[in-house]
Amino acid sequence: MTRKERFAGIVDWFEKNVPIAETELHYGNPYQLLVAVILSAQCTDRRVNIVTPPLFERFPTPQDLASASFDEVYPYVKSVSYPNSKTEHLIAMAQKLLADFNGEVPSDIDALMTLPGVGRKTANVIASVVYDKPVIAVDTHVFRVSHRLGLSNGKTPLEVERDLERHIPEHLRARSHHWLILHGRYTCTARAPKCAACGLTDWCKQYAEEAAGTR
């Protein structure tokens, strides 16, 4: 099976079986999504969704967050991973958002990556979810699933991102990120992938190798 055929089969399956795929983070505007994605680094969306309602109530705008002290923000995020650095990132992000972007979350990837706490993955999430940009954010789930399925052999998230964007049509890229991340979160899990419940085994490279005894 060629990579082109594998991509075609997998994308077609997702289109037919998972027509709606969206972020599981709860947010009401671009600022809130940006905060939530920063908090979600190496942390579950479920935990972030518990943390953000009181955080957003206390700091509803970038202006509110930018003027806050570390000690004011920390109690709201102390239950997420790396709370000290994330507290610092959130405040600095809000300050730079005001100073450089008039409090508006930018749509440009490079501009987003100038914000503290925002790497390429976070920037791509914001660009695709908020602004419908044809980019694919590669987190640990997307990286793992892409390798197992045989969609990419990339050694870095950026290499995987480029492989995915090379083969997935622009109008499906934003949804494809959610297809792959949700598949990795609930089916193609890290320690015990649920292959018996997976609809992608016909195209999965790792599944074929294990069935043939070559892995």
Side-chain angles (χ1 to χ4, degrees):
M1 182 185 302
T2 66
R3 183 172 289 186
K4 182 178 180 181
E5 291 170 336
R6 180 171 283 115
F7 265 97
I10 289 170
V11 169
D12 181 66
W13 185 89
F14 275 126
E15 280 195 285
K16 291 176 179 176
N17 293 277
V18 193
I20 299 175
E22 302 171 331
T23 181
E24 293 187 315
L25 292 170
H26 299 164
Y27 69 99
N29 54 53
Y31 156 71
Q32 290 187 354
L33 180 61
L34 180 55
V35 169
V37 178
I38 290 173
L39 290 175
S40 73
Q42 299 185 52
C43 185
T44 66
D45 286 2
R46 182 178 181 180
R47 167 54 53 186
V48 173
N49 288 335
I50 292 172
V51 166
T52 50
L55 178 68
F56 293 152
E57 183 176 357
R58 174 64 179 81
F59 309 104
T61 69
Q63 290 83 355
D64 295 309
L65 187 56
S67 62
S69 68
F70 180 96
D71 289 340
E72 288 175 312
V73 176
Y74 180 82
Y76 292 91
V77 303
K78 64 182 181 180
S79 65
V80 304
S81 58
Y82 308 105
N84 289 313
S85 61
K86 288 181 179 179
T87 297
E88 293 174 349
H89 285 155
L90 289 179
I91 296 170
M93 175 276 292
Q95 291 172 344
K96 191 169 181 64
L97 206 59
L98 292 177
D100 294 358
F101 305 104
N102 198 32
E104 298 295 325
V105 177
S107 61
D108 180 74
I109 299 292
D110 291 333
L112 282 163
M113 289 176 63
T114 67
L115 298 170
V118 177
R120 187 171 185 86
K121 184 212 78 172
T122 297
N124 280 358
V125 169
I126 300 301
S128 64
V129 173
V130 176
Y131 299 108
D132 201 30
K133 297 272 185 141
V135 295
I136 297 177
V138 177
D139 68 352
T140 55
H141 295 300
V142 175
F143 191 85
R144 177 180 69 254
V145 170
S146 297
H147 279 83
R148 284 180 177 172
L149 290 175
L151 300 178
S152 175
N153 294 319
K155 293 180 172 59
T156 66
L158 181 58
E159 289 176 357
V160 172
E161 176 187 329
R162 287 172 174 167
D163 281 339
L164 296 175
E165 292 183 358
R166 188 178 299 117
H167 291 90
I168 295 175
E170 284 194 6
H171 71 285
L172 292 175
R173 287 178 191 168
R175 223 185 325 162
S176 293
H177 160 69
H178 299 299
W179 282 336
L180 293 172
I181 194 172
L182 294 173
H183 193 68
R185 185 173 291 164
Y186 298 112
T187 303
C188 194
T189 51
R191 295 184 180 179
K194 302 176 178 65
C195 296
C198 180
L200 300 176
T201 52
D202 286 346
W203 303 280
C204 179
K205 183 178 180 181
Q206 181 169 314
Y207 185 82
E209 290 175 347
E210 292 179 351
T214 59
R215 185 180 179 87

